[in-house]
C-alpha cells in the first residue's frame, strides 16, 4: 500500500499525546507510536479510556488512543426529552457503580435518568414457582442504593464521553475505522500496527479489543472463541404504563418471567416508563414486530399473566396470521386474550385481567405488586430486536507472535441477557485491566508484555466463565418444554434449587459491595458445585428414561415374537429391526449409566475436596484471629501501634539509663582518690563506704549489661511488630484464593466433560 | 519473577528514603527517578528496562556479547525507552568497570551469583561499585536440599524447561553466607574518607542472629505453579529462604 501524505488534521491531533517515528524502516508512511490503542467506543472501551485517563499513575506515564467507527459526537450531544427513553437499557450492579464512582465518571451520568432496583420478582412460566428479592434483605447499605441501578446505555456512554473530555492523556478518534491490523517488523519488536481509514497508522504497545462480538482485534490475534447462537431473538422496547397507585410501592421493582420461549423482563426506568427485554423465538419476534405496536403491548401484558398453554396458543395464532401475510390486528388479539382469560376463570377485577388496563384507580389488591403494571402503549420507534448468543474467547491475551493484544467486554465474551450481567462483566474486566496496567507501570513493567497482563486474564477468565456457564444453563433449563425429562425437572422440586442459582447469580454481584471477597468467591464456588450436581442428576434421569423406553420396546418385541409364533406374518422384517433397535438402546443405556457413574464419582470427589477445603478454611480463620471484620483489624492495628510505641518508650528509657550509669561509674572512682588525704577514722569510714560503693558499682554494671541485652531484645521486638504488619495473613489469604481458583478450573473441565455427555 | 524483584527494589528504596526524611512526599514509583543504577549480568535486559522505565539512569552490563545485542535491539523497539535515553548497555565485566571512577547509587545483580566461580571476589567487585550510602540488590538460590529438588531435579531433569547444566549445586549461596560476607567485608578503596572504608556493612555480631532493617534484608521468592506467578515472602517467613531469595544491603555512608 502506498500512502504518501499523511499530515492530515487528525494526525496533528494525535501527535499531541503520541510521538512520531519518522525513521520507520519499512513503512512508506508516518507511524505514530501509541501506548494503548483501544478499538471500539462502546461502554467497555470508553470505560477503559476513562479509567486509564483518570488514574494518577497511568495518566502520567501512558497515552491512550480510542478508535471508533461511529459518530461519538452524536452520543455526546444526545439530549432526549425527559419522558423519552432509549430502548437499550443496562442494569449496573453496585460493584460496577462503585468502579465508575472511583474513576470519577459516575458524576457525569444524568442521575435523573437512572432508577435503583429495590425489589425483584422472578417466577417460572410453567409452574409459577416464584422467588422474590428485597433490597432491605441485603443490608442497610444496599437498601439505600438498591440492588442495582437501571439506566440507558446512552446515558452511560454519554457520561463516559463527558468524563474523557477532561482527560488530557486520552485521544478519541471517532468516525474512523480500522482498515487492517498487521504485525510490525520483528526488528521493531513486532508490535501491532493498526492501519486506519484516514491514512493514519498507529503502532501500539498494547492493543485492546473492545470491539464487540465480531471483534476484528480478536481475529487479528488469532484467538479462537467457542460458543453457539441461541435460537432466540431479544425484543427490546420502551413501555408506557400508568404510575403505581397511592397504596402501592413506587415503580422500582424489576420483573422477570421464565417462559418456555425465553425470559421476559420488565425493567423500571421512571414512575410510568419501563424497559422491555423479551427473549423469544426468532419467528415470533419477527411476527410481533411486524404487527401494530398495540399487539405487542397486549402480548407483553399477556405474557406476564396468562398460563403457558394459552401463550402457546396465542403465539401460534400470531405466527399463522403472519405466515398468511396479514398480521394480526389489535382488536383480534384482544378478543383472543379476553377469551383465554374467561376460560381460565380470571375475575374482571383481578390483577391477572387485562380488562382494567385503562382504569387502575382506587385501592389496589393485596397481590398487585406481584405483577408489573399493565402496559398502555409502546413508545413509538422503540421496538427492535437482536439475536442472542453465547460466546467466549479461548483466552483474553494474544500469545507469542500475536502478543500485545488483550480483549475486554463483548469481544471476550457474549452472554444471554437474562441476568443482566453482560455489561457488568465488561466493566469488571475494565476495572481489573486498568488496575493491572497501573500495577505494572508502578514497577517499571512493559504494559504490553504477557507478564504484565497475565494477572488480568487469570482473574477475569474464570470469574466470567462461571457466571456465563450458569446463565447459559439457566437459559437452557427454562426454554425446554418438549423433552419430558426436563419438563418434569422444571415443574418439579428441583426448580427451587435452580431458582437458588438465579439467586446466587444475582446476589453475587448485588451483594459484592458489602461482603468480603472470600464470601463472594465461595458463592461462585457453590454455584459451580450446583451446576455439576445438576448435570449428574440430569444424566441420571436420562439413564432411567432410557431404561423405561428399553423395557417398553422389549415388551413390544416380545409381543411381536409371540404373535409370529402364532404364525401371523403381518409384519415381515420388522422383528430384526426392532431387535437391533433394542440392543442399540441397551448399549446406549449402559453408556449413559457409565457416564453417570463416572460423573457421580467425580462429584463425590469434588464434594469431598470442597468439604476439606471448607474445613481447612474454617480452621485457618479460627487460627488467625484477624477476622474479616473491619473492626477487629482496626483494633489490632491500634494495639500493634500502641505496643510498638510502648517498646519505643522502653527503648528510650533503657538508653537514657545506660547513659546515666556509664557516667556515674567514673565519679565513684574520683571518690576513692579523695580518701587518701583524709584522717584515719574518716579514712576507715570512707573505706567501708567505698566497699559499699564497689558493691553498688558491680550491681550497676550488671544492671547495665542486663539493660543492653534488653535493648537488643526490644529492637528485635520492634522489628517483629513492624515487619509482621505487612501480612503473613494476607499471604495465606492470597494463596488460599489461588488454591480455590485452581480447583474451580478443575470444575470447569468437569463441566465440559458433562456437556459432551448431555 | 521480574515484577516481584522490581517491587522489592522499589519498596525497599522507598522505605529507606522515608526513614531518612520522614516528611518526604516521594511516592514509591518515583523513588528511582534520576538515580545511577547498574545491572550486572543484565541478560536480555528484562530488569534493566524496568529500571529505566522507572526513570533511573540505567547501565546494563553482560559478559555475553549476544546478550547485549539482543537487549539493545529489544530496548530500541520501545519508543519510550529509546527516547528517554535512560538505557545504556555495555559488553563488559564488573571488574573492568572498577577502573573507571563512576560509582552507582544502586547496583543490582539478579540470578548471577550462583553462576560465578569466585563468589566473594564477585561480591567485593559489586560492593566496590556502590556509592557510599548506596544500595546493593542480589538475588540467587540457596544451597539446600529443597533448592536442589526444585531448581535442578525439577526444572532441569524432570520438566526440562531449563537446559541441563544451567545450575551447579555447589555454586549455590546460602543467605547466612551472604550476611557473613557483609559482616566481615571492608571496602578496599582508598577513598577520600577512609573511616567509611573500615565500617562493616552489617554491624550486628554473627551471634546476634539479627540484621538491622536499615542495613540489610533477606526475603524469600516463592513460585506458585498454580497461578504461574512469583511471590515475595513476608519478612522472616518460615522456610522462605530455602530456595530462591533476594538480598539487599546498604553501603555505610561517609
Amino acid at each position: 500500500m502506498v500512502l504518501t501524505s499523511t499530515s492530515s488534521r487528525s494526525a496533528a491531533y494525535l501527535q499531541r499525546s503520541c510521538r512520531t517515528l519518522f525513521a520507520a524502516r519499512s513503512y512508506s508512511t508516518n507511524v505514530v507510536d501509541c501506548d494503548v490503542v483501544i478499538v471500539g467506543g462502546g461502554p467497555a472501551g470508553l470505560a477503559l479510556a476513562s479509567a486509564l485517563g483518570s488514574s494518577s499513575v497511568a495518566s502520567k506515564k501512558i497515552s491512550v488512543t480510542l478508535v471508533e467507527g461511529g459518530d461519538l459526537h452524536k452520543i455526546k450531544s444526545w439530549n432526549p426529552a425527559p419522558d423519552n427513553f432509549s430502548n437499550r437499557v443496562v442494569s449496573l450492579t453496585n460493584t460496577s457503580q462503585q468502579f465508575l464512582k472511583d474513576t470519577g465518571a459516575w458524576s457525569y451520568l444524568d442521575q435523573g435518568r437512572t432508577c435503583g432496583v429495590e425489589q425483584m420478582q422472578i417466577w417460572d412460566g410453567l409452574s409459577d414457582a416464584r422467588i422474590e428479592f428485597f433490597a432491605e434483605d441485603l443490608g442497610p447499605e444496599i437498601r439505600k442504593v438498591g440492588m442495582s441501578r437501571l439506566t440507558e446505555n446512552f446515558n452511560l456512554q454519554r457520561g463516559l464521553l463527558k468524563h474523557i473530555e477532561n482527560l488530557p492523556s486520552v485521544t478519541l478518534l471517532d468516525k474512523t475505522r480500522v482498515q487492517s491490523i498487521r504485525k510490525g517488523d520483528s526488528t521493531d519488536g513486532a508490535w501491532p500496527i493498526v492501519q486506519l481509514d484516514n491514512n493514519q497508522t498507529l503502532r501500539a504497545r498494547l492493543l485492546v479489543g473492545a470491539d464487540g462480538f465480531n471483534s476484528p482485534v480478536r481475529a487479528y490475534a488469532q484467538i479462537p472463541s467457542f460458543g453457539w447462537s441461541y435460537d432466540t431473538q431479544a425484543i427490546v422496547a420502551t413501555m408506557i404504563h400508568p404510575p403505581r397507585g397511592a397504596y402501592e410501592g413506587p415503580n422500582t421493582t424489576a420483573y422477570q418471567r421464565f417462559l418456555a420461549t425465553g425470559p421476559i423482563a420488565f425493567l423500571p426506568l421512571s414512575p410510568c416508563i419501563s424497559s422491555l427485554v423479551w427473549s423469544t423465538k426468532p419467528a415470533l419476534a419477527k411476527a410481533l414486530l411486524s404487527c401494530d405496536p398495540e399487539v405487542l403491548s397486549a402480548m407483553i401484558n399477556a405474557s406476564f399473566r396468562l398460563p403457558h398453554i394459552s401463550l402457546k396458543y396465542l403465539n401460534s395464532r400470531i405466527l399463522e396470521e403472519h405466515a398468511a401475510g396479514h398480521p394480526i390486528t389489535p382488536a383480534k388479539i384482544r378478543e383472543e386474550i379476553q377469551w383465554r382469560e374467561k376460560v381460565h376463570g380470571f375475575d374482571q377485577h383481578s390483577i391477572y385481567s387485562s380488562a382494567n388496563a385503562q382504569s387502575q384507580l382506587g385501592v389496589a389488591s393485596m397481590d398487585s405488586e406481584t405483577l408489573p403494571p399493565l402496559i398502555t402503549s409502546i413508545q413509538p420507534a422503540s421496538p427492535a430486536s437482536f439475536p442472542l448468543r453465547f460466546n467466549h474467547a479461548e483466552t483474553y491475551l494474544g500469545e507469542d507472535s500475536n502478543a500485545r493484544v488483550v480483549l475486554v467486554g463483548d469481544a471476550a465474551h457474549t452472554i444471554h441477557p437474562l441476568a443482566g450481567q453482560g455489561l457488568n462483566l465488561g466493566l469488571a474486566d475494565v476495572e481489573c485491566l486498568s488496575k493491572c496496567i497501573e500495577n505494572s507501570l508502578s514497577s517499571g513493567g512493559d504494559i504490553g508484555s504477557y507478564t504484565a497482563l497475565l494477572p488480568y486474564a487469570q482473574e477475569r477468565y474464570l470469574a466470567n466463565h462461571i457466571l456465563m456457564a450458569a446463565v447459559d444453563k439457566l437459559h437452557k433449563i427454562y426454554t425446554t418444554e418438549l423433552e419430558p425429562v426436563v419438563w418434569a425437572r422444571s415443574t418439579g422440586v428441583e426448580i427451587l434449587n435452580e431458582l437458588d442459582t438465579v439467586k446466587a447469580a444475582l446476589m453475587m454481584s448485588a451483594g459484592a459491595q458489602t461482603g468480603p471477597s472470600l464470601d463472594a468467591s465461595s458463592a461462585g464456588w457453590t454455584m459451580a458445585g450446583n451446576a455439576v450436581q445438576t448435570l449428574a442428576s440430569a444424566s441420571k434421569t436420562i439413564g432411567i428414561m432410557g431404561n423405561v423406553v428399553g423395557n417398553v420396546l422389549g415388551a413390544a418385541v416380545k409381543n411381536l415374537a409371540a404373535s409370529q409364533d402364532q404364525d401371523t406374518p403381518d409384519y415381515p422384517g420388522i422383528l430384526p429391526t426392532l431387535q437391533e433397535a433394542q440392543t442399540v438402546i441397551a448399549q446406549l443405556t449402559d453408556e449413559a449409566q457409565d457416564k453417570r457413574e463416572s460423573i457421580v464419582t467425580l462429584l463425590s470427589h469434588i464434594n469431598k475436596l470442597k468439604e476439606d477445603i471448607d474445613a481447612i478454611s474454617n480452621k485457618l480463620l479460627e487460627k488467625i484471629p484477624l477476622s474479616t471484620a473491619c473492626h477487629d483489624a482496626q483494633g489490632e492495628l491500634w494495639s500493634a501501634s500502641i505496643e510498638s510505641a510502648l517498646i519505643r518508650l522502653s527503648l528510650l528509657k533503657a538508653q537514657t539509663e545506660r547513659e546515666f550509669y556509664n557516667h556515674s561509674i567514673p565519679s565513684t572512682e574520683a571518690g576513692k582518690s579523695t580518701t587518701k588525704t583524709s584522717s584515719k577514722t574518716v579514712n576507715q569510714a570512707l573505706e567501708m563506704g567505698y566497699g559499699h560503693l564497689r558493691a553498688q558499682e558491680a550491681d550497676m554494671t550488671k544492671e547495665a549489661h542486663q539493660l543492653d541485652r534488653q535493648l537488643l531484645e526490644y529492637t528485635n521486638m520492634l522489628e517483629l511488630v513492624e515487619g509482621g504488619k505487612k501480612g503473613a495473613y494476607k499471604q495465606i489469604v492470597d494463596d488460599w484464593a489461588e488454591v480455590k481458583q485452581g480447583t474451580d478450573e478443575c470444575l470447569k473441565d468437569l463441566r465440559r466433560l458433562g456437556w459432551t455427555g448431555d | 519473577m521480574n515484577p516481584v524483584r522490581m517491587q522489592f527494589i522499589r519498596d525497599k528504596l522507598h522505605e529507606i528514603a522515608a526513614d531518612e526524611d520522614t516528611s518526604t512526599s516521594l511516592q514509591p514509583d518515583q523513588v528511582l527517578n534520576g538515580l545511577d543504577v547498574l545491572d550486572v549480568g543484565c541478560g536480555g535486559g528484562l530488569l534493566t528496562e524496568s529500571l529505566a522505565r522507572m526513570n533511573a539512569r540505567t547501565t546494563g552490563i553482560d559478559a555475553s556479547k549476544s546478550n547485549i545485542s539482543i537487549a539493545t535491539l529489544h530496548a530500541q523497539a520501545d519508543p519510550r525507552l529509546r527516547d528517554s535515553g535512560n538505557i545504556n548497555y555495555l559488553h563488559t565485566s564488573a571488574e573492568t568497570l572498577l577502573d573507571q571512577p563512576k560509582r552507582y547509587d544502586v547496583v543490582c545483580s539478579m540470578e548471577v551469583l550462583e553462576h560465578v566461580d569466585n563468589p566473594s571476589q564477585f561480591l567485593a567487585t559489586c560492593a566496590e561499585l556502590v556509592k557510599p550510602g548506596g544500595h546493593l540488590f542480589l538475588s540467587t538460590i540457596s544451597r539446600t536440599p529443597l533448592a536442589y529438588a526444585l531448581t535442578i531435579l525439577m526444572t532441569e531433569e524432570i520438566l526440562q524447561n531449563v537446559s541441563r547444566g544451567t545450575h551447579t549445586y555447589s555454586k549455590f549461596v546460602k543467605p547466612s553466607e551472604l550476611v557473613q560476607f557483609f559482616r566481615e567485608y571492608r571496602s578496599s578503596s582508598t577513598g577520600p574518607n577512609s573511616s567509611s572504608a573500615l565500617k562493616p556493612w552489617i554491624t550486628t555480631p554473627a551471634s546476634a542472629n539479627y540484621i538491622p532493617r536499615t542495613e540489610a534484608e533477606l526475603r524469600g521468592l516463592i513460585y506458585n505453579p498454580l497461578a504461574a506467578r512469583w511471590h515475595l515472602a513476608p519478612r522472616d517467613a518460615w522456610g522462605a529462604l530455602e530456595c530462591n531469595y533476594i538480598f539487599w544491603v546498604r553501603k555505610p555512608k561517609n
Side-chain angles (χ1 to χ4, degrees), chain A residues 10 13-14 36-47 49 64-76 154 157 161 164 170-179 194-198 200 202 207-213 216-217:
Chain A
S10 39
Y13 184 47
L14 248 185
V36 180
V37 174
I38 303 171
V39 180
L46 290 173
V64 177
T65 309
L66 188 145
V67 182
E68 162 63 35
D71 186 356
L72 291 175
H73 184 74
K74 259 188 205 159
I75 299 173
K76 207 192 274 178
F154 279 152
Q157 272 180 289
L161 281 168
I164 289 170
V170 182
T171 309
L172 292 182
L173 293 177
D174 67 340
K175 289 183 273 184
T176 309
R177 288 182 190 283
V178 172
Q179 258 178 357
V194 182
Q195 177 67 49
L196 305 177
D197 67 353
N198 62 356
Q200 285 185 53
L202 311 178
L207 178 62
V208 183
D211 42 357
F213 163 64
V217 172

Side-chain angles (χ1 to χ4, degrees), chain A residues 261-274:
Chain A
T261 45
I264 179 167
F266 176 101
L267 308 170
L269 289 173
S270 83
C272 47
I273 289 172
S274 300

Side-chain angles (χ1 to χ4, degrees), chain A residues 17 19 21 25 33-35 57 60-63 186-191 203 205 404 439 441-447 451 454-456 458-459 712 715-716 719-720 722-724 726-728 731 734-735 738-739 741-742 745, chain B residues 1-4 6-7 10-11 15 27-30 46 49-55 73-74 76-84 204 208-214 217 219 222 224 226-229 231-236:
Chain A
S17 53
R19 280 144 304 146
L21 165 64
R25 280 164 287 264
D33 281 316
C34 299
D35 290 312
V57 180
K60 265 184 278 163
K61 297 194 173 176
I62 51 169
S63 68
S186 61
T187 51
D188 230 7
W191 289 18
R203 180 167 173 266
R205 178 188 297 276
R404 303 189 174 273
N439 278 344
L441 285 174
S442 64
S443 58
D446 174 1
I447 58 160
T451 332
L454 188 63
Y456 161 70
Q458 282 179 335
E459 192 175 316
L712 191 67
T715 334
N716 275 341
E719 190 63 30
L720 213 70
E722 285 184 341
K726 282 234 163 139
Q731 183 76 26
D734 281 352
D735 286 351
E738 258 149 17
V739 169
Q741 252 189 21
E745 204 139 20
Chain B
M1 197 191 270
N2 201 45
V4 187
M6 280 305 296
Q7 181 200 334
R10 179 192 72 193
D11 291 349
E15 182 188 327
Q27 293 301 306
D29 62 321
Q30 303 167 333
L46 206 59
E49 286 190 7
S50 294
L51 291 162
R53 281 197 195 91
M54 303 281 280
N55 273 334
L73 213 66
H74 193 266
Q76 276 296 312
D78 187 325
R80 286 215 186 251
L81 277 181
R82 192 181 50 214
D83 297 351
S84 72
T204 53
N209 191 25
Y210 152 70
I211 317 168
R213 181 178 60 84
T214 50
E217 188 170 323
R219 297 281 285 272
I222 294 165
N224 177 344
L226 274 181
R229 229 189 281 183
H231 295 271
L232 191 64
R235 269 182 206 147
D236 300 324

